[in-house]
Amino acid sequence: MSKSPVFTQNRELSWLRFNDRVLDEATDETVPLLERLKFVAIFTSNLNEFFMIRVGSLFDLKRMGDSDIDNKTGMTPSRQLKHIYKAVRPLYEKRERILSDLETELRMHGIYRLSWNELEPPETKAASQYFKSSVLPLLSPQIIDSHHPFPYLKNDAVYVMAKLRYDDGRTGAALVPVPEALSGCFFLPGSETRYISHEEIICANLESIFSSCVIEERVMLTITRNGDINPDDEDSEFEGEDFRKRMKKLLKKRIRLMPVRVDLSREISKEGREYLYERLGLTGEQVFVTSAPLNADYMFSLQDHVDANKRQALTYPAFTPRKHPDAAGGEKITEEVMIRDVLLSYPFQSMEPFLQLIKQASCDESCVSIKITIYRLSGKARLVDYLCAAAENGKEVTVLIELRARFDEQNNIDWSERLENAGCTVIYGFENFKVHSKICLITRRSGDGIKYITQIGTGNYNEKTAAQYTDLSLMTYDQSIGRDANEFFKNMAIGNLEGSYDKLLVAPSGLKSRVLACMDREIAKREKGRITLKLNSITDIDIIEKLKQASCAGVKVSMIVRGICCILPGIPGKTENIRIISVVGRFLEHSRVYIFGDRDEEEMYISSADFMTRNTQRRVEVACPVLDPSVRKQIHTVIDACFADDTKARIMLPNGSYAPVTPADAGPAPGTESAVSGFDCQQFLLNLAESEETKGRETEDSRGRLLKSETSGKFRKAPRFAESPPKTHKNVFGRIWDAILDR
C-alpha cells in the first residue's frame, strides 16, 4: 500500500526557510548596499529570537518527557531539535559568505570593518589610547579558579574568554564581559569609515589586563539563553499577586534560564570546548563558530557614520508615510469617518489620521469614552499622551494592555503605570490567553442617541513600526460594528471569552469556527469557490485540513504567507489547487486579510490574527468585516499587487522551498489584465500613495495629466527597472495609475 503524500511541514523548519529568504535579500543587487547589510543584521536578530523562544521551548518540552508530538510531522521535541541544529549550521556558513562579499564591496566605498591586525600603525596607536582611556576603566575582568567560580553569563552579552598560564606553570581561565556601555564599534579617525568592535579591542589587549600571565588562547563568545517565560505556569508562586508585579518578577527570572546556544568567534582547542560544555551544560551541536560579528546591531546605524553623498548612494531614498487623500493631515478626520469608512495602508500612508482621531476625541464634548486594546507601543507614544489627556478631560478611558507581549513586557509595564496615574482604567489580559487584538472604540453622545466610531487594525498602535510594517487600519462609523465593539469591551472587562457577536469574529471562541464555516461555503461551490488569504503564518491543523479539503473540491486557494507555512502547495490529490507566495522586501509584510468568495459575492475581513493555533485558540483576536465597497477595492489593490510581484515575491514549491516568481507565474498588475515584468508590490504601493496624496480624487482630466506625468518618467520606479524603462512598461504603469485612482 503506497504511503499518502505529506502535505504539511514542521513549523520550526518552515520558519528557518523564511529566515533564509530574509538573508537572500542581502544578495539582491537591486537593494542598496548598506540596506543589504541590514538584512544580515535582521537575519541575525531573527535567529537569536528563534533560539531564545522556539528552541528554548523545545528544550523545556524535552525535559518534561519528550512526549509532545508535532501534529504536522509526528516529530518529538528532541527530534525537532536535531533537525533544527542540522538546518542552522548551513545558514551560518551562508551568512558568512554573504557578509564577506558585502564587506568586500563596502571597502570599495571606503567602509571597513577591521580586525586588530588590519589596523595601520597610527590606527593601532589611536585604538590603544582609546582602550587605556575609555575601555579599560569600565572593564570587570574575572579569573576562574577554586576561589572565583565560573560566573553567570548574561543572555546575548558578549564576552572575551582566555586561557592563562601563570609564572609557576599553572593554567587557568578568565572572562572579560564587554560592558553594555561599550556596545557598537570604535570608529577610527580619518576620511574613510574604518571601525573595529570593542570586543576585538579588548581581545587584542588582554595582556594589559592580565599582565602577570601568558595568554595561551583567546576567543570572543556570546550565549543565547531560553527566553520562553510563561506567567501562566507560575500560578503557585505568585497566586493572589497583582499581575504587573508578577511580570516584573518573571522578567528577572528570564535572564537566568538555561543556555541553548553559544557562538564563538574562532575555533578553540578541544580542551577549551570541553570546558565550555561542562560549565554551561551544552553539547557540541549547540556551539557555533562564526567569523560574523557577535553583535550585529551596529549594522542598523552604520549609515550614520558615512558621509552624506555615500549615504545617499548606499541606502534607500528617504521615505515619509504619505497623507491619506480623504483624511489629509487628520484635521477633520472625525467628520470624515462619520461620512465614509477610511482605510489607512501602512507604511505607505501615515498613522496620523488615527492619532488625530484620538486627540480630537480627547477634547470633544460629544465623546463619552475611549476604549482600546494595546499589545505593543513605541518608546515614545503620542497615543498614550492623547489617552491620558482624554482621562484628564473627564472622558472614561479604558485600556486593556497586554503585559506579556514578548520582549515588550517592561515597556508595557511602564506605559500601564503612566496611564493609570493619569486616571485611565487599566486592565490586563486573561490567564492563559494573551489579548492580541487591535481595536479601539470611541463612544459619542449625539442628538439621535449613542453612536460609535470603531477602529480595527492588523498591526500594533506603534508609531515606529507603522512606518516599517505593512498593515491596514480601518476607521468606521458602521453602528453594527460599533455595537459589537462595545459588547467586546464589556466582555473583556468582566472576563467573558465566550461572547456572541454579529459582525466581528472574535477568538478564542468564535473566529476559527466562523472561518471554517466560510471555507465550507466555498467548498460547496466546488470549482467556483475562491479563498484568498494574506497572513504572516499558518500552523493551525484544523484550518490546514480544511484548506486541503477545499483544494480537493476544486476551490482555487491563493495565499500570501510571509513566514511560517505548515501547509505545502501543489501536492497531487491534496493541495494541487493551492498557490502560496511569500513577499520579503524593504517593509515587513504584516497585514492579515481573509477573503471568501469572488468579488461580486465575497466576504472580506481584516484581522489581528494569523492562522496559528496560538492565535485561533489561545489569544483574544478580532477580525472585522470590510463592508464598504471602496475600501474593499483598496484592499484588493494591495492583494493584487502582492500576487503581481515578480521582484520580491517567491513561490512556495511542494517540498517547502521557495523559487523566484517568473512573469509567467505572476498575476496581473492592479488595474490591468496582464503581468508586468520587474513588478515590486511595495514600490508600487509607495508610488501609489505618493500619487494619491498629490492628486486625491481627481477628475478625468486630472488623471490624464497624472498619466502624462508618469509616462514622462517623473515617478520613481522599482529598482529592477532600468533608468529608462521600456515603453511598454511605461504604458502599462500609466494604465495602472489610471485604473487605481478611478474610484
Side-chain angles (χ1 to χ4, degrees):
M1 188 176 190
S2 62
K3 187 177 180 181
S4 177
V6 175
F7 66 98
T8 56
Q9 66 173 328
N10 177 261
R11 66 166 283 173
E12 320 305 348
L13 300 181
S14 175
W15 184 90
L16 288 172
R17 283 174 166 147
F18 155 69
N19 207 32
D20 190 17
R21 283 271 295 107
V22 173
L23 189 57
D24 282 342
E25 283 298 294
T27 67
D28 187 343
E29 295 183 358
T30 68
V31 176
L33 196 54
L34 285 174
E35 305 293 351
R36 290 164 63 187
L37 190 67
K38 290 179 188 176
F39 278 108
V40 174
I42 293 168
F43 166 87
T44 301
S45 174
N46 287 349
L47 195 61
N48 292 347
E49 185 172 330
F50 174 76
F51 269 92
M52 285 180 64
I53 303 305
R54 297 306 308 168
V55 174
S57 66
L58 286 171
F59 269 105
D60 289 341
L61 292 171
K62 180 181 177 181
R63 282 190 289 267
M64 291 166 59
D66 207 26
S67 59
D68 194 275
I69 305 300
D70 174 34
N71 61 10
K72 319 298 186 310
T73 60
M75 289 195 289
T76 61
S78 59
R79 190 174 169 208
Q80 290 181 67
L81 287 167
K82 182 176 286 292
H83 280 277
I84 287 168
Y85 282 106
K86 182 179 178 181
V88 166
R89 212 161 288 280
L91 293 179
Y92 266 72
E93 295 168 0
K94 180 176 178 178
R95 178 184 62 177
E96 290 176 11
R97 290 194 305 271
I98 291 172
L99 183 59
S100 176
D101 291 343
L102 288 176
E103 292 186 331
T104 298
E105 288 190 59
L106 285 167
R107 289 188 172 208
M108 297 177 187
H109 295 274
I111 302 171
Y112 297 79
R113 177 171 72 96
L114 301 167
S115 66
W116 185 267
N117 292 334
E118 291 180 293
L119 298 180
E120 300 290 342
E123 293 174 330
T124 302
K125 181 178 180 181
S128 297
Q129 291 174 343
Y130 172 72
F131 171 76
K132 292 175 183 177
S133 64
S134 301
V135 176
L136 188 57
L138 298 177
L139 299 183
S140 300
Q142 179 182 331
I143 61 170
I144 303 166
D145 58 23
S146 58
H147 296 284
H148 303 84
F150 192 88
Y152 172 80
L153 303 187
K154 293 182 180 180
N155 178 64
D156 212 26
V158 179
Y159 295 84
V160 177
M161 187 173 180
K163 179 183 178 182
L164 309 178
R165 181 169 295 277
Y166 298 95
D167 290 342
D168 60 6
R170 291 180 299 114
T171 60
L175 272 171
V176 184
V178 179
E180 291 183 15
L182 294 178
S183 61
C185 302
F186 172 56
F187 286 84
L188 296 153
S191 58
E192 293 184 313
T193 303
R194 295 168 64 86
Y195 58 95
I196 183 171
S197 70
H198 286 103
E199 53 266 31
E200 280 272 2
I201 294 174
I202 295 169
C203 194
N205 286 274
L206 287 176
E207 285 80 1
S208 299
I209 302 171
F210 305 103
S211 56
S212 62
C213 304
V214 174
I215 310 298
E216 291 196 339
E217 190 170 21
R218 66 189 82 201
V219 67
M220 298 170 282
L221 64 89
T222 185
I223 185 171
T224 306
R225 292 186 177 274
N226 182 352
D228 190 30
I229 61 167
N230 183 359
D232 300 319
D233 293 339
E234 312 292 339
D235 291 341
S236 59
E237 184 178 346
F238 300 110
E239 188 171 2
E241 189 170 45
D242 174 80
F243 192 67
R244 188 160 60 204
K245 291 180 180 178
R246 184 195 304 187
M247 286 304 303
K248 288 180 178 179
K249 290 183 178 180
L250 283 170
L251 290 180
K252 293 178 181 178
K253 185 175 181 180
R254 170 187 277 165
I255 65 174
R256 302 199 66 86
L257 294 176
M258 289 294 294
V260 294
R261 178 186 62 160
V262 167
D263 282 352
L264 303 177
S265 64
R266 66 190 66 171
E267 190 57 78
I268 58 175
S269 64
K270 181 181 178 181
E271 179 187 357
R273 273 183 171 260
E274 290 175 350
Y275 181 82
L276 282 176
Y277 298 162
E278 178 186 355
R279 298 291 183 169
L280 297 174
L282 298 171
T283 62
E285 68 179 1
Q286 294 173 272
V287 177
F288 295 84
V289 178
T290 178
S291 61
L294 297 180
N295 186 337
D297 290 349
Y298 77 89
M299 297 179 185
F300 293 109
S301 58
L302 182 58
Q303 65 190 48
D304 298 334
H305 299 273
V306 177
D307 71 62
N309 290 333
K310 285 182 184 176
R311 184 163 58 246
Q312 185 174 6
L314 300 178
T315 59
Y316 287 125
F319 165 73
T320 302
R322 301 296 172 171
K323 294 180 180 179
H324 190 284
D326 297 333
E331 294 86 355
K332 298 182 179 180
I333 186 61
T334 303
E335 294 90 333
E336 184 66 34
V337 171
M338 292 171 69
I339 295 171
R340 73 186 87 191
D341 287 359
V342 173
L343 180 78
L344 303 177
S345 179
Y346 304 149
F348 314 106
Q349 293 171 330
S350 170
M351 188 183 185
E352 189 64 26
F354 169 70
L355 295 174
Q356 289 301 314
L357 183 71
I358 303 301
K359 183 179 181 181
Q360 290 168 20
S362 72
C363 54
D364 184 349
E365 293 183 0
S366 300
C367 174
V368 177
S369 67
I370 303 172
K371 299 176 182 180
I372 190 170
T373 60
I374 290 176
Y375 194 74
R376 297 189 195 278
L377 292 168
S378 59
K380 296 181 180 179
R382 289 162 56 206
L383 174 62
V384 172
D385 294 339
Y386 299 152
L387 292 172
C388 291
E392 291 162 357
N393 288 336
K395 314 299 181 188
E396 178 192 339
V397 179
T398 301
V399 180
L400 197 171
I401 188 165
E402 182 51 75
L403 298 187
R404 294 164 297 181
R406 188 169 284 131
F407 304 128
D408 270 326
E409 296 97 340
Q410 187 60 55
N411 194 40
N412 285 1
I413 288 170
D414 295 341
W415 284 126
S416 69
E417 291 172 343
R418 183 182 168 193
L419 288 160
E420 207 165 55
N421 290 337
C424 301
T425 298
V426 177
I427 57 179
Y428 310 124
F430 299 82
E431 298 289 342
N432 300 313
F433 294 91
K434 287 185 180 181
V435 178
H436 188 249
S437 55
K438 284 76 169 144
I439 181 169
C440 177
L441 177 69
I442 298 171
T443 302
R444 296 167 53 85
R445 182 186 291 114
S446 63
D448 53 351
I450 298 297
K451 298 292 182 182
Y452 303 108
I453 294 176
T454 311
Q455 181 277 337
I456 295 181
T458 65
N460 296 300
Y461 299 111
N462 185 314
E463 294 150 53
K464 181 178 179 180
T465 58
Q468 299 170 337
Y469 296 3
T470 73
D471 271 307
L472 299 171
S473 174
L474 175 67
M475 295 175 283
T476 181
Y477 196 56
D478 185 285
Q479 294 307 297
S480 60
I481 292 175
R483 286 190 292 271
D484 268 7
N486 187 51
E487 189 68 18
F488 170 83
F489 280 105
K490 284 183 181 178
N491 286 328
M492 294 301 101
I494 63 174
N496 178 23
L497 294 175
E498 302 295 327
S500 177
Y501 306 94
D502 180 35
K503 298 292 185 182
L504 299 181
L505 313 185
V506 180
S509 61
L511 185 147
K512 181 173 173 177
S513 60
R514 289 178 66 176
V515 164
L516 293 174
C518 289
M519 291 182 177
D520 279 332
R521 286 197 296 274
E522 296 309 303
I523 290 171
K525 300 176 187 177
R526 302 193 68 79
E527 288 80 4
K528 293 183 179 180
R530 296 290 183 272
I531 298 173
T532 304
L533 304 170
K534 185 177 188 297
L535 306 164
N536 297 328
S537 303
I538 175 169
T539 67
D540 188 297
I541 193 63
D542 298 320
I543 293 178
I544 288 172
E545 177 64 31
K546 189 65 69 175
L547 289 170
K548 185 207 77 171
Q549 292 176 24
S551 174
C552 291
V555 177
K556 297 299 181 187
V557 181
S558 301
M559 300 170 63
I560 305 159
V561 184
R562 184 200 75 215
I564 299 168
C565 186
C566 289
I567 186 170
L568 298 171
I571 304 296
K574 302 286 185 179
T575 58
E576 64 264 45
N577 288 310
I578 297 178
R579 178 174 181 263
I580 302 172
I581 67 165
S582 169
V583 176
V584 177
R586 176 177 181 178
F587 306 113
L588 181 76
E589 291 292 332
H590 195 255
S591 55
R592 293 96 164 185
V593 181
Y594 321 149
I595 306 173
F596 307 102
D598 225 341
R599 298 199 186 195
D600 293 338
E601 53 179 5
E602 72 183 9
E603 286 187 47
M604 176 188 286
Y605 297 87
I606 64 170
S607 178
S608 60
D610 288 309
F611 285 168
M612 302 181 76
T613 308
R614 71 180 188 189
N615 300 102
T616 59
Q617 296 181 189
R618 297 195 299 272
R619 287 186 175 184
V620 177
E621 306 274 11
V622 172
C624 178
V626 181
L627 305 176
D628 186 299
S630 176
V631 173
R632 286 206 303 270
K633 185 176 180 180
Q634 293 174 59
I635 294 174
H636 272 296
T637 296
V638 173
I639 299 296
D640 292 349
C642 290
F643 282 119
D645 194 311
D646 66 347
T647 300
K648 296 300 179 184
R650 299 291 183 270
I651 189 166
M652 179 178 276
L653 303 179
N655 65 0
S657 63
Y658 294 94
V661 174
T662 66
D665 296 324
T672 75
E673 297 180 358
S674 60
V676 176
S677 179
F679 188 88
D680 180 331
C681 64
Q682 293 185 354
Q683 186 65 45
F684 168 79
L685 293 170
L686 190 154
N687 289 351
L688 180 60
E690 290 178 347
S691 305
E692 288 184 322
E693 179 189 58
T694 303
K695 299 297 182 179
R697 297 176 180 273
E698 296 189 333
T699 63
E700 288 294 328
D701 288 341
S702 297
R703 284 194 297 274
R705 289 196 299 273
L706 176 63
L707 174 60
K708 182 178 179 181
S709 174
E710 202 283 328
T711 55
S712 66
K714 293 184 180 179
F715 283 82
R716 187 170 68 251
K717 300 295 189 294
R720 269 276 187 84
F721 284 111
E723 289 298 319
S724 299
K727 187 175 181 181
T728 53
H729 286 163
K730 293 181 180 179
N731 291 339
V732 168
F733 269 90
R735 292 197 301 275
I736 292 173
W737 300 127
D738 195 44
I740 296 302
L741 292 170
D742 185 16
R743 291 180 182 157

